[in-house]
Amino acid sequence: MDFSGLFAWPNVHFILDGFMVTLEVAVYSIVFSFALGTVFGILRYTRLPVISQAAALTIDLIRNLPLLLIIFFIGMVLPSIGFSVSLKWAAITGLSIFEGAMIAEIVRSGLNSVHTGQVEAARSSGLSYTSTLWHIALPQALRRMVPPIVSQFISLFKDTSLAVIISLPELTHNVQIVGGQNQSFVIPALLFAAFLYFAVNYSMSLIARRLEVRTH
């Protein structure tokens, strides 16, 4: 193991460049997956005859597909049939779709956890279904959903490494490149990557714990 050789500035700079790509992909995916998951979770919760069933079918379909397959399909298959997309946005799109389906289930469960008596009381007081959902059910559900949603974001950050399948120059990809230059760099490079993943994920887990305490 050659730690001194690995931590020469060109190698460190290359790995950190990949880390920045990982962070960028994660941030965009978190924003889009949360928006997508919230919309689909609400649509499934409403139990509207056609819309709710379509949302449920879409969520179940995506949740039962491997994320690796989704990223590969968007990054490699779609361009081959004329739908051009950059590697970065292929990864963001795949992660957003898959994690959005996971978050949709969290949103639906959170809404279902709101006591039906409160919903019925709001409806009997004259509030419309939409107003009841927006002002009564959703605010309470969001407080309960924060810890599991943050936990899902932690999984999302780790899943960014799957973008290596489409050769996106993110952290795992760049670590592989550095390790391939010299066998003595492999373990130090993996340890460095593990530290970077751990630092971000542990920070998010601390946030999730604090939010969980506040919501109880």
Side-chain angles (χ1 to χ4, degrees), residues 42-119:
I42 291 173
L43 290 177
R44 186 168 186 180
Y45 169 78
T46 57
R47 298 189 178 91
L48 295 174
V50 177
I51 296 176
S52 178
Q53 293 173 2
L57 179 62
T58 302
I59 292 167
D60 289 340
L61 175 64
I62 295 171
R63 289 176 67 235
N64 287 285
L65 290 174
L67 174 56
L68 191 68
L69 179 62
I70 295 174
I71 293 174
F72 183 81
F73 181 83
I74 297 172
M76 295 298 180
V77 178
L78 288 184
S80 70
I81 58 176
F83 294 93
S84 180
V85 59
S86 69
L87 295 180
K88 184 182 295 183
W89 280 102
I92 292 171
T93 303
L95 284 164
S96 299
I97 291 172
F98 183 81
E99 301 296 342
M102 299 299 181
I103 291 172
E105 282 298 287
I106 297 174
V107 171
R108 183 182 68 86
S109 298
L111 289 169
N112 283 332
S113 71
V114 177
H115 198 280
T116 55
Q118 297 187 42
V119 176

